Amino acid sequence: MVAPGPGGDVHELSIALSLIDEAAGAARSEGYVRVMRVHARIGVLSGVVHEALQFSFQMASPGTACEDAVLEIEEVPIQVRCPVCQQVVQLPNAYRFVCPTCGTPTPEVVAGRELELVSIEVDDDEAASA
Ligand SMILES: [Zn+2]
């Protein structure tokens, strides 16, 4: 059915499928048949390769309400809570979980694992006639 993408794996494909499913369901519940744009938030720590997700989305969307829809990915940076500074700080990368201010290890991740549909834009001209 769906060929594996470049560097893509089941991970991105299953995420693409659930985004399509969720977006199509949301459109349908509002009486729309076609999704034009899908906004998703993807955390850096989710391990999602954006290109692979885009590829999977393009591969999996034909025949669904999301056919020809644009997938917009908002990358969510890693944020951790520093137990010393008592502050939520943003990490520059996923390799060292230490507070950039004081160097304390920061195991408490508060953002960066997101994998969620934020919103969709639908085609107003193609509203399904109920
Ligand atoms: Zn700190």
Side-chain angles (χ1 to χ4, degrees):
M1 283 203 347
V2 178
D9 50 39
V10 179
H11 188 52
E12 277 81 6
L13 181 57
S14 64
I15 293 163
L17 287 171
S18 64
L19 283 174
I20 289 168
D21 212 46
E22 204 176 331
R28 202 181 311 121
S29 71
E30 299 289 327
Y32 294 102
V33 292
R34 185 167 289 278
V35 176
M36 306 299 287
R37 204 173 280 270
V38 175
H39 298 265
R41 280 162 60 86
I42 306 292
V44 172
L45 289 174
S46 66
V48 169
V49 179
H50 290 202
E51 292 74 20
L53 181 57
Q54 288 284 6
F55 184 85
S56 297
F57 187 87
Q58 300 307 326
M59 290 298 293
S61 56
T64 73
C66 295
E67 184 165 354
D68 295 328
V70 175
L71 173 62
E72 289 201 349
I73 300 173
E74 178 192 342
E75 185 171 84
V76 183
I78 306 165
Q79 290 187 313
V80 294
R81 187 183 309 280
C82 174
V84 174
C85 302
Q86 293 292 319
Q87 274 184 340
V88 173
V89 291
Q90 189 170 318
L91 291 187
N93 60 58
Y95 305 108
R96 293 182 75 228
F97 281 80
V98 296
C99 174
T101 305
C102 69
T104 301
T106 51
E108 188 186 344
V109 176
V110 296
R113 292 196 173 107
E114 291 77 1
L115 268 179
E116 57 197 25
L117 181 72
V118 179
S119 63
I120 60 170
E121 289 171 30
V122 293
D123 186 352
D124 280 322
D125 297 332
E126 287 196 51
S129 51

XYZ file of all heavy atoms in Angstrom, residues 10-97:
670
model
N 8.129 3.010 10.363
C 6.751 2.861 10.814
C 6.358 4.011 11.737
O 5.213 4.420 11.783
C 6.593 1.505 11.530
C 5.174 1.327 12.027
C 6.975 0.384 10.583
N 7.354 4.528 12.450
C 7.110 5.615 13.398
C 6.422 6.795 12.720
O 5.307 7.160 13.076
C 8.466 6.034 13.977
C 8.359 7.021 15.102
N 7.549 6.810 16.209
C 8.977 8.194 15.313
C 7.677 7.833 17.029
N 8.528 8.685 16.516
N 7.095 7.368 11.700
C 6.542 8.536 11.017
C 5.236 8.199 10.304
O 4.315 8.998 10.279
C 7.541 9.110 10.010
C 8.575 10.028 10.630
C 9.720 9.265 11.272
O 9.758 8.028 11.131
O 10.574 9.906 11.909
N 5.194 7.007 9.704
C 3.988 6.635 8.971
C 2.790 6.537 9.915
O 1.714 7.027 9.596
C 4.198 5.311 8.229
C 2.991 4.845 7.413
C 2.573 5.899 6.390
C 3.296 3.531 6.710
N 2.991 5.932 11.053
C 1.859 5.789 11.967
C 1.432 7.151 12.509
O 0.245 7.390 12.727
C 2.197 4.821 13.107
O 3.231 5.345 13.890
N 2.390 8.046 12.688
C 2.046 9.393 13.139
C 1.280 10.131 12.046
O 0.272 10.790 12.300
C 3.311 10.180 13.527
C 3.933 9.554 14.773
C 2.985 11.649 13.792
C 5.365 9.957 15.003
N 1.751 9.989 10.801
C 1.066 10.626 9.675
C -0.365 10.115 9.568
O -1.300 10.887 9.386
C 1.824 10.354 8.377
N -0.524 8.803 9.712
C -1.855 8.216 9.602
C -2.777 8.729 10.702
O -3.947 9.025 10.446
C -1.754 6.681 9.674
C -1.183 6.015 8.426
C -0.912 4.531 8.682
C -2.126 6.186 7.240
N -2.252 8.874 11.899
C -3.128 9.329 12.972
C -3.451 10.812 12.821
O -4.556 11.254 13.150
C -2.542 9.010 14.350
O -1.350 9.715 14.552
N -2.486 11.604 12.295
C -2.773 13.017 12.023
C -3.868 13.142 10.966
O -4.791 13.946 11.101
C -1.504 13.735 11.542
C -0.460 14.106 12.595
C 0.775 14.677 11.923
C -1.022 15.091 13.609
N -3.745 12.341 9.908
C -4.734 12.361 8.828
C -6.098 11.960 9.364
O -7.121 12.592 9.083
C -4.298 11.419 7.688
C -3.099 12.022 6.952
C -5.446 11.148 6.728
C -2.403 11.053 6.013
N -6.080 10.915 10.167
C -7.313 10.408 10.745
C -7.993 11.467 11.608
O -9.192 11.729 11.481
C -6.955 9.189 11.607
C -8.082 8.183 11.609
O -8.611 7.899 10.516
O -8.433 7.704 12.700
N -7.190 12.093 12.443
C -7.719 13.076 13.367
C -8.214 14.314 12.624
O -9.283 14.848 12.917
C -6.619 13.475 14.362
C -7.139 14.012 15.672
C -6.011 14.303 16.652
O -4.959 13.633 16.580
O -6.174 15.206 17.470
N -7.428 14.760 11.634
C -7.804 15.941 10.858
C -9.071 15.672 10.056
O -9.975 16.507 10.015
C -6.660 16.338 9.925
N -9.132 14.500 9.437
C -10.309 14.147 8.641
C -11.543 14.049 9.526
O -12.629 14.510 9.155
C -10.068 12.823 7.907
N -11.359 13.480 10.690
C -12.474 13.355 11.628
C -12.974 14.711 12.091
O -14.184 14.947 12.195
N -12.020 15.616 12.356
C -12.389 16.954 12.810
C -13.140 17.698 11.715
O -14.134 18.384 11.977
C -11.138 17.727 13.221
N -12.668 17.560 10.472
C -13.332 18.224 9.352
C -14.746 17.671 9.179
O -15.707 18.419 9.016
C -12.523 18.034 8.073
N -14.840 16.338 9.230
C -16.132 15.688 9.024
C -17.144 16.126 10.074
O -18.311 16.384 9.763
C -15.940 14.164 9.062
C -17.038 13.384 8.352
C -16.782 11.879 8.449
N -15.416 11.517 8.075
C -14.557 10.881 8.876
N -14.926 10.546 10.085
N -13.353 10.569 8.452
N -16.673 16.229 11.305
C -17.603 16.575 12.379
C -18.140 17.991 12.216
O -19.175 18.342 12.765
C -16.928 16.401 13.743
O -15.954 17.413 13.927
N -17.401 18.826 11.447
C -17.861 20.189 11.192
C -18.596 20.282 9.861
O -18.990 21.362 9.437
C -16.674 21.157 11.172
C -15.907 21.225 12.482
C -16.703 21.936 13.576
O -17.461 22.863 13.254
O -16.569 21.542 14.749
N -18.710 19.174 9.158
C -19.440 19.168 7.901
C -18.596 19.478 6.679
O -19.121 19.766 5.609
N -17.272 19.418 6.831
C -16.396 19.698 5.697
C -15.820 18.396 5.139
O -15.637 17.414 5.870
C -15.247 20.623 6.112
C -15.724 21.996 6.510
C -15.819 22.346 7.848
C -16.094 22.921 5.544
C -16.267 23.605 8.221
C -16.547 24.181 5.910
C -16.632 24.516 7.245
O -17.090 25.757 7.601
N -15.541 18.413 3.848
C -15.056 17.196 3.214
C -13.578 17.270 2.857
O -12.948 16.254 2.590
C -15.862 16.867 1.930
C -17.285 16.490 2.307
C -15.855 18.033 0.963
N -13.058 18.477 2.825
C -11.673 18.603 2.384
C -10.835 19.442 3.345
O -11.216 20.546 3.704
C -11.629 19.214 0.979
C -10.243 19.266 0.381
C -10.309 19.586 -1.092
N -10.843 18.469 -1.867
C -10.110 17.428 -2.252
N -8.849 17.347 -1.931
N -10.645 16.465 -2.956
N -9.704 18.875 3.726
C -8.765 19.587 4.596
C -7.687 20.216 3.714
O -7.106 19.548 2.860
C -8.116 18.629 5.620
C -7.082 19.355 6.461
C -9.183 17.992 6.497
N -7.455 21.512 3.907
C -6.461 22.209 3.097
C -5.093 22.256 3.783
O -4.058 22.295 3.141
C -6.903 23.654 2.820
C -8.288 23.772 2.205
S -8.389 22.952 0.607
C -7.452 24.096 -0.400
N -5.122 22.318 5.094
C -3.887 22.541 5.823
C -3.986 21.870 7.190
O -5.020 21.932 7.843
C -3.681 24.061 5.995
C -2.257 24.500 6.204
C -2.194 26.020 6.187
N -2.213 26.573 4.832
C -1.104 26.802 4.112
N 0.078 26.552 4.619
N -1.191 27.290 2.909
N -2.906 21.237 7.581
C -2.880 20.557 8.877
C -1.705 21.110 9.676
O -0.567 21.092 9.208
C -2.708 19.029 8.695
C -2.554 18.339 10.045
C -3.874 18.441 7.912
N -2.004 21.640 10.856
C -0.949 22.142 11.729
C -0.683 21.127 12.828
O -1.607 20.736 13.540
C -1.365 23.471 12.384
C -1.613 24.574 11.394
N -0.649 25.485 11.047
C -2.708 24.894 10.674
C -1.151 26.327 10.154
N -2.395 25.998 9.913
N 0.567 20.743 12.949
C 0.915 19.783 13.989
C 2.083 20.310 14.809
O 2.934 21.040 14.302
C 1.281 18.446 13.357
N 2.101 19.950 16.065
C 3.222 20.288 16.938
C 4.017 19.025 17.209
O 3.476 18.029 17.689
C 2.724 20.868 18.269
C 2.339 22.327 18.203
C 1.466 22.720 19.366
N 2.129 22.509 20.656
C 2.929 23.411 21.223
N 3.143 24.558 20.630
N 3.498 23.171 22.372
N 5.298 19.059 16.877
C 6.147 17.892 17.040
C 7.328 18.260 17.933
O 8.127 19.130 17.596
C 6.672 17.392 15.672
C 5.517 17.137 14.699
C 7.537 16.148 15.859
C 4.614 15.988 15.054
N 7.423 17.615 19.062
C 8.522 17.885 19.974
C 9.833 17.322 19.459
O 9.858 16.296 18.775
N 10.910 18.011 19.802
C 12.243 17.565 19.388
C 12.519 16.146 19.908
O 13.158 15.333 19.243
C 13.314 18.549 19.901
C 14.719 18.014 19.664
C 13.152 19.903 19.234
N 12.001 15.851 21.095
C 12.275 14.552 21.707
C 11.408 13.417 21.164
O 11.595 12.270 21.540
C 12.082 14.634 23.226
C 13.140 15.421 23.991
C 12.734 15.542 25.453
C 14.491 14.719 23.885
N 10.468 13.752 20.302
C 9.586 12.706 19.782
C 10.335 11.767 18.845
O 9.880 10.669 18.556
C 8.408 13.335 19.032
O 8.879 14.009 17.873
N 11.480 12.205 18.367
C 12.265 11.374 17.466
C 11.747 11.374 16.041
O 12.201 10.593 15.209
N 10.807 12.272 15.762
C 10.227 12.315 14.428
C 11.152 13.058 13.465
O 11.607 14.163 13.764
C 8.847 13.006 14.460
C 8.349 13.293 13.055
C 7.862 12.147 15.218
N 11.432 12.443 12.335
C 12.170 13.103 11.271
C 11.144 13.845 10.408
O 10.253 13.230 9.828
C 12.938 12.075 10.409
C 13.684 12.777 9.274
C 13.896 11.277 11.284
N 11.276 15.169 10.379
C 10.249 15.969 9.720
C 10.064 15.594 8.256
O 8.942 15.494 7.780
C 10.586 17.457 9.830
C 10.441 17.980 11.228
N 10.252 19.298 11.518
C 10.455 17.338 12.414
C 10.143 19.456 12.834
N 10.279 18.289 13.391
N 11.172 15.391 7.551
C 11.076 15.048 6.138
C 10.332 13.724 5.956
O 9.531 13.560 5.043
C 12.466 14.942 5.503
C 13.211 16.266 5.394
C 13.744 16.765 6.734
O 13.875 15.951 7.673
O 14.017 17.979 6.847
N 10.622 12.783 6.840
C 9.965 11.471 6.747
C 8.483 11.591 7.058
O 7.649 10.911 6.442
C 10.628 10.476 7.694
N 8.160 12.477 7.996
C 6.750 12.674 8.334
C 6.018 13.338 7.164
O 4.915 12.933 6.811
C 6.620 13.519 9.598
C 5.182 13.772 10.079
C 4.443 12.467 10.322
C 5.174 14.625 11.333
N 6.669 14.332 6.561
C 6.075 14.981 5.382
C 5.849 13.960 4.276
O 4.792 13.922 3.648
C 7.001 16.092 4.858
C 7.069 17.333 5.726
C 5.838 18.217 5.596
O 4.871 17.859 4.942
N 5.874 19.363 6.251
N 6.857 13.134 4.057
C 6.772 12.119 3.008
C 5.631 11.145 3.300
O 4.828 10.827 2.429
C 8.110 11.379 2.897
C 8.145 10.385 1.774
C 8.468 10.793 0.484
C 7.857 9.050 2.005
C 8.496 9.874 -0.547
C 7.884 8.122 0.967
C 8.198 8.539 -0.311
N 5.573 10.684 4.522
C 4.530 9.734 4.909
C 3.147 10.367 4.756
O 2.202 9.714 4.310
C 4.724 9.297 6.363
O 5.937 8.610 6.512
N 3.061 11.649 5.114
C 1.783 12.355 5.008
C 1.335 12.414 3.545
O 0.168 12.163 3.233
C 1.929 13.766 5.586
C 0.646 14.541 5.677
C -0.171 14.432 6.791
C 0.262 15.386 4.645
C -1.361 15.147 6.882
C -0.929 16.106 4.721
C -1.736 15.976 5.843
N 2.292 12.752 2.663
C 1.954 12.832 1.239
C 1.570 11.469 0.682
O 0.713 11.354 -0.196
C 3.133 13.399 0.430
C 3.570 14.805 0.838
C 2.435 15.812 0.853
O 1.520 15.722 0.044
N 2.478 16.745 1.788
N 2.229 10.428 1.191
C 1.954 9.082 0.706
C 0.607 8.564 1.187
O -0.074 7.816 0.485
C 3.043 8.104 1.192
C 4.397 8.286 0.553
S 4.376 8.025 -1.233
C 4.018 6.262 -1.289
N 0.251 8.933 2.391
C -0.918 8.325 3.024
C -2.198 9.129 2.835
O -3.288 8.621 3.066
C -0.653 8.131 4.522
N -2.066 10.407 2.394
C -3.255 11.254 2.361
C -4.171 11.070 1.142
O -5.363 11.315 1.257
C -2.852 12.729 2.491
O -1.940 13.092 1.486
N -3.651 10.642 -0.029
C -4.562 10.467 -1.165
C -5.724 9.524 -0.831
O -5.513 8.486 -0.207
C -3.666 9.863 -2.248
C -2.313 10.369 -1.935
C -2.260 10.397 -0.422
N -6.923 9.947 -1.222
C -8.098 9.144 -0.932
C -8.738 9.499 0.406
O -9.793 8.983 0.744
N -8.072 10.386 1.161
C -8.651 10.837 2.426
C -9.046 12.303 2.285
O -8.768 12.941 1.265
C -7.654 10.721 3.592
O -6.663 11.757 3.459
C -6.940 9.366 3.580
N -9.660 12.842 3.336
C -10.033 14.257 3.322
C -8.796 15.143 3.277
O -8.879 16.326 2.946
C -10.872 14.586 4.560
N -7.642 14.577 3.588
C -6.401 15.351 3.627
C -5.617 15.284 2.323
O -4.468 15.749 2.269
C -5.511 14.874 4.764
S -6.212 15.172 6.395
N -6.221 14.726 1.299
C -5.534 14.667 0.020
C -5.165 16.078 -0.428
O -5.991 16.980 -0.386
C -6.441 14.005 -1.030
C -5.755 13.819 -2.360
C -6.511 12.860 -3.276
O -7.504 12.270 -2.810
O -6.104 12.711 -4.430
N -3.923 16.264 -0.836
C -3.386 17.557 -1.276
C -3.290 18.596 -0.158
O -2.994 19.754 -0.421
C -4.219 18.151 -2.426
C -4.144 17.292 -3.670
O -3.090 16.654 -3.887
O -5.139 17.238 -4.418
N -3.534 18.196 1.048
C -3.402 19.149 2.159
C -1.922 19.391 2.446
O -1.072 18.554 2.168
C -4.102 18.615 3.407
N -1.659 20.572 2.987
C -0.297 20.931 3.369
C -0.108 20.604 4.853
O -0.922 20.999 5.683
C -0.046 22.437 3.131
C 1.329 22.840 3.642
C -0.204 22.754 1.648
N 0.949 19.894 5.138
C 1.256 19.597 6.536
C 2.257 20.620 7.043
O 3.343 20.774 6.484
C 1.842 18.189 6.667
C 2.356 17.817 8.066
C 1.246 17.843 9.100
C 3.036 16.462 8.040
N 1.869 21.360 8.070
C 2.778 22.340 8.658
C 3.221 21.848 10.024
O 2.391 21.597 10.897
C 2.084 23.701 8.776
C 1.889 24.346 7.434
C 1.703 25.849 7.538
O 1.518 26.349 8.659
O 1.741 26.498 6.494
N 4.505 21.697 10.170
C 5.044 21.157 11.412
C 5.671 22.274 12.228
O 6.556 22.980 11.759
C 6.110 20.082 11.124
C 5.498 18.931 10.320
C 6.709 19.573 12.435
C 6.514 17.905 9.856
N 5.175 22.417 13.424
C 5.784 23.362 14.360
C 6.660 22.559 15.311
O 6.188 21.675 16.019
C 4.700 24.103 15.146
C 5.249 25.062 16.174
C 4.168 25.573 17.132
O 2.979 25.463 16.790
O 4.520 26.059 18.208
N 7.929 22.850 15.297
C 8.838 22.104 16.150
C 8.822 22.686 17.562
O 8.981 23.885 17.744
C 10.249 22.152 15.582
C 11.217 21.283 16.360
C 12.563 21.169 15.668
O 13.387 22.075 15.853
O 12.770 20.207 14.928
N 8.648 21.806 18.526
C 8.625 22.244 19.924
C 9.978 21.949 20.553
O 10.406 20.798 20.607
C 7.516 21.515 20.713
C 7.461 22.027 22.139
C 6.175 21.675 20.024
N 10.668 22.986 21.030
C 11.986 22.761 21.626
C 11.883 22.040 22.970
O 10.816 21.989 23.574
C 12.542 24.178 21.801
C 11.352 25.070 21.806
C 10.284 24.396 21.000
N 12.993 21.510 23.401
C 13.025 20.809 24.682
C 13.063 21.826 25.813
O 13.906 22.730 25.817
C 14.275 19.923 24.784
C 14.367 18.987 23.582
C 14.272 19.136 26.090
C 15.732 18.353 23.430
N 12.168 21.656 26.752
C 12.188 22.506 27.938
C 12.228 21.623 29.164
O 11.509 20.619 29.251
C 10.953 23.409 27.974
C 10.987 24.491 26.901
C 9.856 25.482 27.055
O 8.720 25.108 27.244
N 10.178 26.754 26.991
N 13.078 21.982 30.087
C 13.236 21.202 31.316
C 13.118 22.144 32.506
O 13.322 23.348 32.382
C 14.610 20.496 31.358
C 14.713 19.449 30.268
C 15.741 21.499 31.237
N 12.810 21.535 33.665
C 12.753 22.342 34.870
C 14.035 22.112 35.667
O 14.375 20.979 35.982
C 11.541 21.967 35.718
C 11.324 22.897 36.910
C 10.159 22.434 37.769
N 8.954 22.202 36.980
C 8.121 23.163 36.560
N 8.379 24.417 36.861
N 7.059 22.868 35.850
N 14.730 23.185 35.971
C 15.945 23.059 36.755
C 15.575 23.074 38.235
O 14.915 24.009 38.690
C 16.916 24.196 36.442
S 18.367 24.160 37.526
N 15.994 22.029 38.964
C 15.630 21.955 40.387
C 16.342 23.015 41.229
O 15.900 23.327 42.327
C 16.069 20.542 40.794
C 17.133 20.168 39.807
C 16.795 20.892 38.522
N 17.436 23.565 40.712
C 18.186 24.566 41.470
C 17.663 25.969 41.172
O 17.336 26.744 42.068
C 19.704 24.471 41.161
C 20.461 25.618 41.831
C 20.251 23.129 41.619
N 17.569 26.287 39.885
C 17.084 27.616 39.493
C 15.573 27.750 39.689
O 15.050 28.867 39.695
C 17.400 27.897 38.026
S 19.150 27.804 37.609
N 14.881 26.599 39.812
C 13.415 26.609 39.913
C 12.799 27.308 38.714
O 11.838 28.050 38.834
C 12.966 27.294 41.215
C 13.345 26.526 42.472
C 12.567 25.211 42.607
O 11.378 25.160 42.336
N 13.255 24.148 42.992
N 13.410 27.061 37.559
C 12.906 27.696 36.353
C 12.837 26.684 35.224
O 13.607 25.726 35.198
C 13.838 28.832 35.920
C 13.529 30.149 36.606
C 14.414 31.264 36.080
O 15.467 31.008 35.510
N 13.979 32.490 36.278
N 11.913 26.943 34.324
C 11.846 26.142 33.114
C 12.800 26.764 32.102
O 12.710 27.955 31.805
C 10.416 26.092 32.550
C 10.398 25.406 31.190
C 9.502 25.357 33.527
N 13.728 25.960 31.631
C 14.713 26.478 30.682
C 14.679 25.644 29.417
O 14.307 24.471 29.429
C 16.139 26.457 31.275
C 16.260 27.477 32.388
C 16.509 25.067 31.765
N 15.081 26.266 28.335
C 15.097 25.581 27.048
C 16.478 24.994 26.805
O 17.491 25.667 27.010
C 14.743 26.585 25.960
C 14.517 25.943 24.610
C 13.925 26.940 23.623
O 13.037 27.711 23.956
N 14.433 26.922 22.406
N 16.508 23.737 26.372
C 17.790 23.096 26.090
C 18.161 23.296 24.627
O 17.317 23.184 23.746
C 17.719 21.593 26.384
C 17.595 21.171 27.840
C 17.726 19.661 27.946
C 18.643 21.847 28.701
N 19.425 23.590 24.371
C 19.852 23.787 22.981
C 19.872 22.485 22.193
O 19.764 22.500 20.975
C 21.267 24.363 23.121
C 21.713 23.979 24.492
C 20.489 23.860 25.338
N 20.018 21.351 22.844
C 20.006 20.085 22.121
C 19.569 18.954 23.052
O 19.393 19.148 24.254
C 21.376 19.782 21.506
C 22.452 19.704 22.576
O 22.350 18.893 23.491
N 23.469 20.543 22.470
N 19.416 17.772 22.454
C 18.890 16.641 23.218
C 20.003 15.766 23.778
O 19.751 14.669 24.245
C 17.968 15.817 22.324
N 21.215 16.239 23.741
C 22.335 15.382 24.133
C 22.742 15.568 25.589
O 23.255 14.659 26.217
C 23.536 15.631 23.216
C 23.187 15.446 21.769
C 23.083 16.522 20.908
C 22.914 14.164 21.269
C 22.729 16.346 19.589
C 22.552 13.991 19.950
C 22.468 15.077 19.111
O 22.098 14.896 17.804
N 22.546 16.769 26.089
C 22.937 17.022 27.475
C 21.772 17.637 28.231
O 21.388 18.773 27.974
C 24.152 17.966 27.534
C 25.425 17.349 26.985
C 26.608 18.297 27.121
N 27.080 18.366 28.494
C 27.330 19.508 29.139
N 27.117 20.660 28.530
N 27.785 19.499 30.362
N 21.242 16.851 29.173
C 20.143 17.360 29.967
C 20.679 18.020 31.227
O 20.546 17.503 32.328
C 19.164 16.230 30.295
C 18.265 15.910 29.139
C 18.711 15.115 28.098
C 16.989 16.428 29.088
C 17.886 14.840 27.019
C 16.158 16.151 28.011
C 16.611 15.356 26.971
